[in-house]
Amino acid sequence: MTISILDMPSYTYAVKAQRLLRSRGYPCRIRRREKSSDRGCGYSVHITGSSESPARLLESYNIPYSVISGGGEGDDQL
């Protein structure tokens, strides 16, 4: 299974992204990362499949994110 990971700047943005993506039919979930990174708060959105279309959707709604993993094989490992 291919998983794309988007690092979010805050938990609030992670929830907004999850709600928007689910409403458009993209299966996703919020995960707490073990350690906060420089790019985010420690929360990420995991999307089943490629992140290309979901990323464009988030950009159109001005929801900031950083791509950690763009959806290759084995990307479901943290």
Side-chain angles (χ1 to χ4, degrees):
M1 174 173 32
T2 302
I3 303 290
S4 299
I5 303 171
L6 304 178
D7 202 11
M8 305 306 289
S10 71
Y11 179 74
T12 302
Y13 278 121
V15 171
K16 286 181 180 183
Q18 181 186 44
R19 287 181 180 168
L20 175 62
L21 293 171
R22 283 186 174 174
S23 74
R24 300 298 168 94
Y26 295 103
C28 62
R29 62 187 167 133
I30 298 173
R31 300 253 340 238
R32 177 83 166 124
R33 298 186 58 79
E34 299 247 345
K35 179 180 175 185
S36 291
S37 70
D38 322 354
R39 298 172 298 209
C41 64
Y43 288 93
S44 57
V45 176
H46 293 232
I47 305 166
T48 303
S50 174
S51 63
E52 189 174 317
S53 295
R56 284 196 303 259
L57 180 61
L58 294 179
E59 288 170 4
S60 70
Y61 280 84
N62 295 319
I63 298 175
Y65 65 91
S66 299
V67 175
I68 294 177
S69 168
E73 282 300 315
D75 284 343
D76 57 345
Q77 304 299 318
L78 289 179

